[in-house]
Amino acid sequence: MPIRPLRGFIAAWRRHAAAIAAVMSCSTLLTGQEVAADAAPVSPPPAPRLDWRPCVQGSPFDCATAKVPLDYGKPGGRTIELAVVRRKATGPGRRVGTLFFNPGGPGGPGTVQMPQNYEFFPREVRERFDIVSWDPRGIGSSTAVNCFAGPQEAADWNASKPTGFPVGEEERTEFVAAYADLARRCERKDPELLSHVSTADTARDLDLLRRSVGEPQLNYYGISYGTILGATYANLFPGKVRAMTLDSNIRPGAWTNDASDDARLTTFLRIGSDRSAAATLNEFLDLCGSTTTARCAFSADTPEATRAKFGRLTQRLRKEPVDTWTYARTVAETVNSLYLVSGWADLAGRLEALWQGRVPEPTPLPPAPPVPEPNPYVGEEQAAAVLCGDSPNPRDPGVYPALEEASAARAGDTGRFWTWATAGCTAWPTSPDRYTGPWNKRTAHPILVVGTTYDPSTAYPNSPAMVEELADARLLTNEGYGHTALLNPSTCVQEHESRYFIDGTLPSAGTTCRQDTPPFSAPKPSGGVATGGGAMAGSAS
């Protein structure tokens, strides 16, 4: 969801190929007005006109800008812009309609990530649907939350805090102070925009975009945090759902912190990101130790020896970093690098370099997508503006050390990482507009929910829980590894998704698929960027 640390579910999308996409980012305890399902205006504003043009000369992608109300309670007031991208259906004469895609985060710029990951969509879906994505309000090339005067000021702020998560009292003080400073900067810069970047606002934008392309009902594919956006849309506009796939889910009740959850926990601890990341890391180490160093450079010949080797490495880095590779940075980048199975061999190479006392080679950047701005500003404040306004987190920084130790007791190093992923929300201003349910509005058509068993961010139990909370949904289990079935492909999952999107056919109850390429079994494919976008706490995602 997510998410998720906050540079996607945390994730420093910043075009790092495998992984800094973290999940979703932070959240904060809200005291503002909560929005009911019927809060949308009775008379919605007119649909914006989309003047499609090639994004750049010769590009197969078209770009447009949509103007939408900043405040749906005052549709005649200030407007903001949404950057939108489209790839037309490739099968002439066979088009079904338009499929909207959200790449997660929050903070994921769809105008970049959809073109970058277009080939991961099922072939039949690409043939039969125009695929449209957009930078949600507050993000990327849309009217964006940007709390700095320029790139250098943003870089200076980022350098003022520890990378990954804080270790020790001194670093905790620096970490908390940096995010308090960020919150103050953002409140000064554009408080009006900051108050209107909720998931509910984006769901209303999505409905206007649906109308703009002439669709009577919505076709939607959301991954990670995009599942919360999809669930919100489905309950604000239940009659407008034609087909909706939610991949790598966040349980809505955990996101909003319903009465069954402990109010003292953070978002990611409520959804089990720490435990899921620990389980996925153990699988990585076990599989690595079960193969040769030719396939996994970090292998120590057995699973047990490889797990022990990782433990010794992290202990050593606590005492003596390798250049800028501290213990916290290594843990954060390890979690992020588990998002894409295609990047596991590279992760093993980085860990082996650190084991040998060498600075790892930088991860190659993926090809720039054919869009006007292939690398827009996606600072951590963009993810924070959405997540800290939507999902409650402890506002007292003093509770985080105890939460960290409790999480580390059950999840080890990954628990420390995920605990601090939402610490930036402690000082974040409250939001007047968030959707808190109900989540069980009967939709016009059923929803398909996909969950992967070893997901380092959105733990698998969130997916069956999503099915339980929605009124009419079917679970498809993907036995595999990584964050989202979309970016860690399964032909089986793709076939079920294609049938569902094209003619509404759901998989049978209890259907299970498997990933196409197990880790370390073949050379990694090229292309693709992990989900997510802005986030907080270093390069988590």
Side-chain angles (χ1 to χ4, degrees):
M1 201 284 32
I3 147 224
R4 300 67 116 340
L6 310 161
R7 261 185 181 197
F9 215 55
I10 307 190
W13 156 75
R14 311 199 182 228
R15 300 180 57 213
H16 281 272
I20 290 192
V23 156
M24 337 139 256
S25 270
C26 65
S27 312
T28 187
L29 194 60
L30 290 224
T31 58
Q33 173 188 359
E34 296 178 351
V35 178
D38 58 357
V42 175
S43 299
R49 181 168 178 258
L50 297 175
D51 186 12
W52 295 109
R53 301 179 183 182
C55 293
V56 295
Q57 187 175 4
S59 171
F61 295 92
D62 299 319
C63 287
T65 300
K67 289 190 175 182
V68 299
L70 171 67
D71 182 353
Y72 279 90
K74 301 175 182 177
R78 176 182 169 185
T79 61
I80 58 174
E81 294 186 343
L82 304 179
V84 189
V85 66
R86 175 185 69 180
R87 177 70 184 264
K88 287 185 177 181
T90 60
R94 307 181 66 214
R95 182 180 178 277
V96 174
T98 297
L99 172 65
F100 286 90
F101 171 67
N102 179 271
T111 59
V112 174
Q113 291 183 315
M114 187 275 276
Q116 237 164 9
N117 294 304
Y118 174 77
E119 297 298 329
F120 284 95
F121 288 89
R123 177 184 55 80
E124 282 193 285
V125 170
R126 286 180 275 130
E127 290 176 346
R128 307 292 294 277
F129 289 88
D130 297 347
I131 299 179
V132 171
S133 192
W134 75 109
D135 293 0
R137 56 172 58 209
I139 309 300
S141 295
S142 293
T143 300
V145 175
N146 184 342
C147 304
F148 299 100
Q152 187 57 55
E153 188 172 284
D156 291 343
W157 174 83
N158 193 59
S160 72
K161 60 182 178 57
T163 299
F165 55 89
V167 177
E169 185 175 354
E170 183 178 347
E171 287 195 357
R172 287 195 292 267
T173 300
E174 294 172 351
F175 205 72
V176 170
Y179 283 110
D181 176 54
L182 180 65
R184 287 191 295 270
R185 290 172 184 266
C186 292
E187 281 191 284
R188 290 195 300 264
K189 192 74 176 288
D190 190 346
E192 188 181 24
L193 176 61
L194 220 57
S195 296
H196 295 286
V197 291
S198 70
T199 301
D201 288 318
T202 293
R204 296 181 187 114
D205 292 342
L206 177 56
D207 197 59
L208 282 189
L209 293 174
R210 171 193 64 79
R211 292 168 50 205
S212 293
V213 299
E215 291 289 349
Q217 291 182 313
L218 180 74
N219 302 295
Y220 175 80
Y221 195 143
I223 61 178
S224 191
Y225 159 78
T227 65
I228 285 293
L229 173 58
T232 301
Y233 182 96
N235 285 277
L236 287 175
F237 305 98
K240 298 301 182 182
V241 175
R242 177 191 176 272
M244 179 176 286
T245 291
L246 306 179
D247 176 1
S248 293
N249 291 261
I250 304 167
R251 182 173 73 82
W255 180 256
T256 58
N257 195 21
D258 63 22
S260 66
D261 287 304
D262 189 336
R264 295 170 296 176
L265 294 180
T266 70
T267 301
F268 298 120
L269 300 187
R270 289 197 298 270
I271 69 175
S273 298
D274 55 342
R275 287 173 168 165
S276 188
T280 307
L281 175 58
N282 283 336
E283 286 293 302
F284 164 83
L285 294 169
D286 285 356
L287 292 169
C288 179
S290 299
T291 190
T292 65
T293 54
R295 290 196 181 276
C296 181
F298 194 66
S299 177
D301 296 330
T302 68
E304 295 78 11
T306 305
R307 288 198 302 270
K309 181 179 177 180
F310 182 79
R312 291 196 300 273
L313 173 62
T314 56
Q315 290 173 6
R316 193 168 69 193
L317 289 171
R318 275 178 173 268
K319 300 175 182 177
E320 187 177 352
V322 177
D323 194 54
T324 61
W325 286 80
T326 61
Y327 160 72
R329 177 184 175 184
T330 300
V331 171
E333 298 216 12
T334 295
V335 174
N336 288 331
S337 296
L338 294 172
Y339 278 59
L340 297 183
V341 171
S342 61
W344 281 22
D346 285 344
L347 168 59
R350 290 193 292 275
L351 293 175
E352 181 62 20
L354 291 170
W355 177 257
Q356 296 176 11
R358 296 184 288 107
V359 175
E361 293 292 327
T363 302
L365 294 176
V371 295
E373 179 48 83
N375 190 20
Y377 177 74
V378 285
E380 294 187 27
E381 66 268 37
Q382 296 180 5
V386 180
L387 294 173
C388 295
D390 262 25
S391 183
N393 280 269
R395 295 188 66 84
D396 178 5
V399 308
Y400 277 80
L403 290 176
E404 177 187 358
E405 293 308 317
S407 182
R410 73 183 192 180
D413 298 315
T414 63
R416 300 185 188 281
F417 167 76
W418 279 115
T419 297
W420 286 97
T422 57
C425 294
T426 56
W428 200 260
T430 58
S431 169
D433 178 16
R434 70 168 183 142
Y435 183 78
T436 60
W439 300 100
N440 60 352
K441 292 290 188 75
R442 177 67 60 171
T443 49
H445 297 93
I447 293 170
L448 177 62
V449 172
V450 181
T452 297
T453 49
Y454 287 100
D455 184 321
S457 127
T458 50
Y460 173 77
N462 286 273
S463 291
M466 175 70 87
V467 172
E468 289 297 316
E469 293 199 32
L470 297 175
D472 187 7
R474 177 69 52 80
L475 175 65
L476 176 61
T477 296
N478 177 40
E479 290 188 352
Y481 311 91
H483 187 47
T484 82
L486 176 68
L487 301 181
N488 297 279
S490 162
T491 299
C492 170
V493 170
Q494 290 183 343
E495 289 174 348
H496 284 297
E497 289 176 342
S498 295
R499 286 195 290 270
Y500 168 69
F501 277 123
I502 291 168
D503 58 27
T505 301
L506 287 167
S508 301
T511 297
T512 297
C513 291
R514 285 185 172 82
Q515 229 160 38
D516 288 348
T517 307
F520 307 120
S521 62
K524 67 174 184 176
S526 60
V529 171
T531 83
M536 304 165 61
S539 60
S541 127

